[in-house]
Amino acid sequence: MKKLFLLFCSLTLILCAGATHAATEIRDTEIEAGLTRLIAPLAHAADISDGRLRIHIIGNDDFNAFVTSGEDVFIYSGLLMRIRSAAALQAVIAHEMGHMVGGHMAQMAARMRAELMRSLIMQALGIGLMAANPMAGAGVLAGTTGMAQQSMLSFTRDEERLADDAAINLLTKAGLDPNGLIEVLEQMYEITGAAEARINPNNTNHPLTSERLKNIKEKIGKREKTKPAGNSVNYEMLRAKLVGYLQTEQQVENLYPSKNKSDPAVYARTIRFMRSGNLEMAKTGAQTLISREGDNPYFYELLGDIEHQFGHYDDSVNAYEKSLKLIGAQAPQIQTALALVLAERNKPGDADRSIELAKRAILTEPQPLSFWVLAKAYGYDARADWARAEYYGMMKNEKEMKKYAKLARSKLPKDSPEYIKAGDLLQK
């Protein structure tokens, strides 16, 4: 499996491309923290313990989200950039959590096993009939796949309806606005409405959006009106950050024209300036944001990114240190960014501080880049070979992993932790 690791400092994209699929997971401290705060009321309403529900942002322009059999919600960046409000995003996550709470993934797996068994029995019957009546046997074989497919489509349509109902219940219990679900479906209908007119509703795994809208409006309309709880997340800032990193210069200008002086507009344009190499304009934008909100750690993180690209190592270190101080908690991605700048600056004491930061980041949340930076900080120390082996192991590059693990074991003391860890890698 080929993998490419791209770093925009603040926002990290890990691209995993295989023969049959490609997926990009986006990692960003600010966006993940904001989404976690947004979903916390829903998690509590669903009796999910703190920290168990995990959000993954997938770098894909589709208007989509999905859930796996565990407590993991995957949200496409295309959906995040298009969803217009925090309430609407909470409604999407509530729907996906409805699948979790309802155990739909486990039910689907069981249903698939049942359909597979029925299909095998029908195929065996078809083969038996072939000997006596070839045309009848061929007919049974031809119909087997279609029957199983229609059964599964009907099952998933029912689960989607149940997940919509569960979403309304979860939003209401959490004190959130269930009308966000209507907002999302109306937005979906803008995208799919024309195409749905030509779709056979029995040949899709979701109910038609028009049907879902009608059902949800009826159910929400019958509920007692409650004042939704507020939230402390500026969702528009999260959207602006993604747009700045992922959209073209023209797209950013269309969404956030120069005459728009709001914080989200300045944020998106500043990030886009940094990406395009216009560092002077980027620095001016970051300083503007800091002047408006001097206690926002992510504005200092952005300034650290920009100063790093300038080659202003001292200013970059100061900005990252300020960001970490304001966050006041573990922030592995920012710690790794600071560790990288320190390793590159390489003043007396920088290597030790870089190693310390990279190790803390790895202890909190192991990521490939943290191991790569750790190797850079170690320099010519034999532990750098172990760190590179860990990096390539996480990137699923077995050849390079084994190469560096063997190098590490050839140089390191046999009782050192890194020697033992390199041996563990070779045993994988």
Side-chain angles (χ1 to χ4, degrees):
M1 180 180 288
K2 295 171 65 180
K3 295 200 173 187
L4 175 65
F5 196 94
L6 300 174
L7 174 69
F8 289 134
C9 287
S10 282
L11 181 141
T12 304
L13 300 96
I14 306 171
L15 176 62
C16 312
T20 59
H21 68 280
T24 308
E25 182 171 2
I26 296 173
R27 302 301 314 278
D28 178 78
T29 304
E30 178 182 13
I31 296 173
E32 290 172 4
L35 292 179
T36 298
R37 289 201 303 275
L38 278 177
I39 67 172
L42 291 168
H44 292 155
D47 296 322
I48 296 174
S49 302
D50 290 342
R52 282 179 57 194
L53 192 68
R54 294 176 296 274
I55 294 289
H56 304 270
I57 307 165
I58 304 301
N60 186 297
D61 200 43
D62 287 348
F63 192 89
N64 197 17
F66 65 91
V67 61
T68 64
S69 56
E71 290 162 332
D72 294 88
V73 176
F74 294 80
I75 308 174
Y76 284 40
S77 59
L79 183 141
L80 286 172
M81 288 188 288
R82 292 187 184 94
I83 287 287
R84 296 165 184 157
S85 70
L89 180 62
Q90 287 170 325
V92 171
I93 297 174
H95 172 90
E96 297 307 322
M97 288 175 62
H99 285 299
M100 277 187 199
V101 174
H104 297 167
M105 302 310 295
Q107 292 172 30
M108 182 178 289
R111 184 65 171 262
M112 289 177 71
R113 286 193 294 271
E115 290 302 331
L116 175 61
M117 182 60 68
R118 185 169 75 163
S119 177
L120 291 172
I121 291 170
M122 292 294 287
Q123 286 181 30
L125 175 61
I127 292 169
L129 284 173
M130 286 283 278
N133 187 335
M135 292 189 65
V140 171
L141 285 172
T144 300
T145 302
M147 289 170 60
Q149 182 183 39
Q150 285 301 319
S151 178
M152 286 305 302
L153 288 173
S154 174
F155 173 77
T156 53
R157 286 195 299 272
D158 288 341
E159 299 312 311
E160 290 301 321
R161 295 183 184 102
L162 289 171
D164 282 343
D165 291 346
I168 295 172
N169 292 333
L170 281 171
L171 289 163
T172 304
K173 185 178 178 182
L176 302 174
D177 187 2
N179 285 289
L181 199 53
I182 294 176
E183 183 182 338
V184 172
L185 289 170
E186 286 178 339
Q187 199 170 347
M188 286 174 60
Y189 190 71
E190 291 173 11
I191 299 170
T192 65
E196 282 192 1
R198 301 187 297 272
I199 292 176
N200 181 339
N202 295 320
N203 289 337
T204 177
N205 62 356
H206 278 59
L208 295 183
T209 306
S210 55
E211 177 200 328
R212 294 175 70 189
L213 256 174
K214 179 176 178 292
N215 292 340
I216 287 169
K217 284 180 178 179
E218 288 177 355
K219 287 170 182 173
I220 290 177
K222 294 175 182 177
R223 292 184 174 245
E224 183 180 346
K225 301 294 184 183
T226 57
K227 184 178 179 180
N231 69 73
S232 61
V233 179
N234 189 338
Y235 176 65
E236 184 57 38
M237 291 294 283
L238 305 186
R239 286 184 64 206
K241 189 171 195 176
L242 275 175
V243 167
Y245 275 112
L246 301 179
Q247 299 293 291
T248 66
E249 191 167 354
Q250 188 57 55
Q251 287 171 320
V252 173
E253 179 61 27
N254 291 342
L255 287 168
Y256 301 102
S258 302
K259 63 182 180 181
N260 186 341
K261 304 300 182 183
S262 68
D263 285 355
V266 174
Y267 205 19
R269 291 197 301 267
T270 297
I271 292 167
R272 187 62 221 183
F273 287 141
M274 181 183 67
R275 286 185 61 210
S276 62
N278 189 344
L279 298 181
E280 289 290 351
M281 289 292 289
K283 185 172 180 178
T284 298
Q287 290 172 333
T288 298
L289 291 167
I290 289 170
S291 70
R292 295 179 181 180
E293 191 179 343
D295 60 352
N296 187 317
Y298 305 109
F299 294 162
Y300 287 98
E301 179 193 13
L302 177 58
L303 182 61
D305 296 345
I306 295 165
E307 297 289 15
H308 180 208
Q309 290 196 32
F310 261 124
H312 301 165
Y313 290 125
D314 291 348
D315 292 333
S316 180
V317 167
N318 290 338
Y320 283 138
E321 292 278 21
K322 179 73 171 179
S323 175
L324 287 171
K325 183 178 179 180
L326 286 169
I327 289 174
Q330 293 292 338
Q333 294 164 58
I334 302 175
Q335 288 169 335
T336 299
L338 175 56
L340 175 62
V341 177
L342 289 167
E344 291 180 357
R345 187 176 71 171
N346 202 26
K347 286 184 176 181
D350 279 354
D352 289 341
R353 173 77 168 134
S354 178
I355 290 168
E356 176 201 350
L357 284 163
K359 283 184 172 181
R360 281 167 55 191
I362 290 166
L363 188 63
T364 304
E365 186 178 341
Q367 292 294 329
L369 183 63
S370 301
F371 281 109
W372 185 260
V373 172
L374 183 60
K376 186 176 181 66
Y378 275 136
Y380 294 105
D381 190 301
R383 290 174 293 179
D385 293 320
W386 158 74
R388 289 190 185 94
E390 294 282 4
Y391 165 79
Y392 284 114
M394 293 195 75
M395 299 299 283
K396 307 301 182 189
N397 186 332
E398 187 176 352
K399 181 180 177 182
E400 291 297 304
M401 178 193 75
K402 289 185 174 180
K403 168 186 163 184
Y404 283 104
K406 288 175 181 176
L407 272 174
R409 283 173 69 85
S410 71
K411 302 174 187 176
L412 289 166
K414 292 185 178 181
D415 60 349
S416 67
E418 292 79 13
Y419 180 91
I420 297 168
K421 291 175 183 177
D424 292 340
L425 290 173
L426 291 171
Q427 294 297 320
K428 283 189 177 179

